[in-house]
Amino acid sequence: MSEGARAKHFGEIALPHLDAAYNLARWLMRNEVDAEDMVQDAYLRAFRYFDGFAGTNARAWLLSIVRRVCYDALRRRSRDGISFEDADSPAFDDAIDGFVSRPVDPETSLLREADRALLDRLIAALPPLYREVIVLRELEELSYREIADVVGIPLGTVMSRLNRARALLLKAWQTNVAREAARGL
Amino acid sequence: MDCDEARRLLHRLLDLEIEPADRVRLEAHLAVCASCVAARAALHRLGEAVRGGASRYRAPDSLAARIAASLPDDTVGKERARAPARLSRARSSRWLPLAASVMLTALVSSGLTFTWTGQSDESRADDEVVAAHIRSLMADHLTDVASSDQHTVRPWFSGRIDLAPPVRDLAADGFPLVGGRLDYLDGRASAALVYRHGPHVINVFVRPAADTGAMPLTLHSRQGYLIGAWSGGGLAYTAISDVGVDEMTRLASLLAAGTVPTPGPPG
């Protein structure tokens, strides 16, 4: 196949997933400029290794490359002094322990406001390893199996991460809406 | 089952990824544990709020052009770069709050074979399909009859078009029926069934087939959309969407599996 034909074939398979790729990068990098750079870099890498792609799930394959590119960039920056949170750190365990087994009031009005800005802010504040599973599951609607492939972790870890991510998000949401309620909003 | 295990399994229940045996055990626990029922309600509302309220960012059109320009042949992606921006708004505003997840099951039982045809020869027909798909998303004319009830959609077609498309709601399989529409392809009326899969809209055009033989699914892409074509039971199907190959294959197998074979060609 000529380079041009190869590029055309690649485009037909990869470009339909551009929104998914950008959405993941945008959430991981938390800004538009970086997200665009990451996706472009990821697509060029994907093109380079395209001949080695034999599967049928092009979306999961592309998202795994986007993710790797984003994490490389985040890690580089964390070495430059910007903190890069780690989901497996004890601090996050502490934040969740005690929450999971606590009863939740079903009639709580805390969850009534689906405030886009608030949700975006809270999800963006999650550590990346939790943020990405929320984005992949809730926004890209990937199956557990696909998430496992994209993130490169076993199925069991997908589930525990998703559980913790939601517990963190729920807690943050309840806290924020309660604060607003206390202010009379 | 204790509450800790129940709280873990709640996620799988809501994500439709739970094993049947676990589901039975969990439901037995929920019948006697008010606090886990409350936890399920809270998780459910959180999920709905995130899916309905959090941003799904869309790649700027310039990005496709940028990527295309950096590949060896700069013709790639130009169509997408020209695609109207209204498309994404139409898509996101019709976002269903809760869509079932894809259960990737083996396609062996469906009898469908998978063929990847890099590019179609019938490019003009493809362009028409793509145009009809885009039109349905843009012009706020996705459906003439908007209903997830197959018993509403199916009779709607009778009297309007000279064929009876098999209409089935596939919500349980992750493809809720949105409705039906009359469309025009190749200068003749075509039934369009509209399904949704998460944020994606899938148009399935149904027309009388040239012959009654069954043709297995073939897939190809056109202007960034995936087009699946197959036939059976005297009907020709053309499905188009921005879903992935797996999802398209799955929807096609579901629709093909529900097709009742015709008694046989007359003569």
Side-chain angles (χ1 to χ4, degrees), chain B residues 21-34:
Chain B
D22 284 340
R23 185 188 187 118
V24 170
R25 290 171 56 237
L26 176 59
E27 281 172 355
H29 177 82
L30 289 172
V32 297
C33 180

Side-chain angles (χ1 to χ4, degrees), chain A residues 101-120:
Chain A
S101 52
R102 192 183 308 159
V104 181
D105 175 12
E107 292 312 311
T108 181
S109 61
L110 302 184
L111 304 186
R112 72 187 189 283
E113 291 296 319
D115 179 349
R116 178 176 290 271
L118 173 62
L119 276 166
D120 281 354

Side-chain angles (χ1 to χ4, degrees), chain A residues 67-97:
Chain A
R67 180 184 179 276
R68 215 174 310 141
V69 169
C70 289
Y71 273 80
D72 284 349
L74 289 171
R75 288 207 185 86
R76 270 198 308 278
R77 284 174 206 185
S78 84
R79 276 203 295 275
D80 296 339
I82 300 167
S83 87
F84 174 64
E85 308 95 318
D86 183 357
D88 301 322
S89 77
F92 285 110
D93 287 3
D94 292 346
I96 297 158
D97 283 352

Side-chain angles (χ1 to χ4, degrees), chain A residues 15 18 22 35-37 39-40, chain B residues 59-69:
Chain A
L15 284 181
L18 190 60
Y22 179 79
E36 284 195 47
D37 288 348
V39 172
Q40 183 176 14
Chain B
D61 288 336
S62 58
L63 183 56
R66 239 175 91 183
I67 291 169

Side-chain angles (χ1 to χ4, degrees), chain A residues 7 12 15-16 19 23 26-27 36-37 40 56 59 100 104 106 116 119-120 138 140-141 144 163 166, chain B residues 7 11 15 17 38 45 49 51 53 55-59 66 70 76-77 80 91 118 198 221 224 246-247:
Chain A
E12 286 175 343
L15 284 181
D19 281 347
N23 187 45
R26 174 68 181 72
W27 274 108
E36 284 195 47
D37 288 348
Q40 183 176 14
T56 52
R59 181 174 58 170
V100 175
V104 181
R116 178 176 290 271
L119 276 166
D120 281 354
E138 307 289 15
E140 294 304 329
E141 310 200 6
Y144 286 3
N163 291 9
R166 284 174 174 152
Chain B
R7 298 295 166 96
H11 295 267
D15 287 331
E17 299 243 9
R45 269 172 290 179
R51 286 186 291 272
S55 299
R56 183 177 189 251
Y57 299 103
R58 183 181 180 273
R66 239 175 91 183
S70 56
V76 178
R80 193 187 191 286
R91 231 167 41 187
S221 60
D246 291 342
E247 291 90 341

Side-chain angles (χ1 to χ4, degrees), chain B residues 9 11 13 15 27 32 37 74 89 118 132-133 170 193 196 225:
Chain B
L9 287 174
H11 295 267
L13 180 75
D15 287 331
E27 281 172 355
V32 297
V37 169
D74 67 1
R89 280 209 299 277
H133 182 65
L170 301 169
L193 306 178
R196 191 178 290 280
Y225 293 98

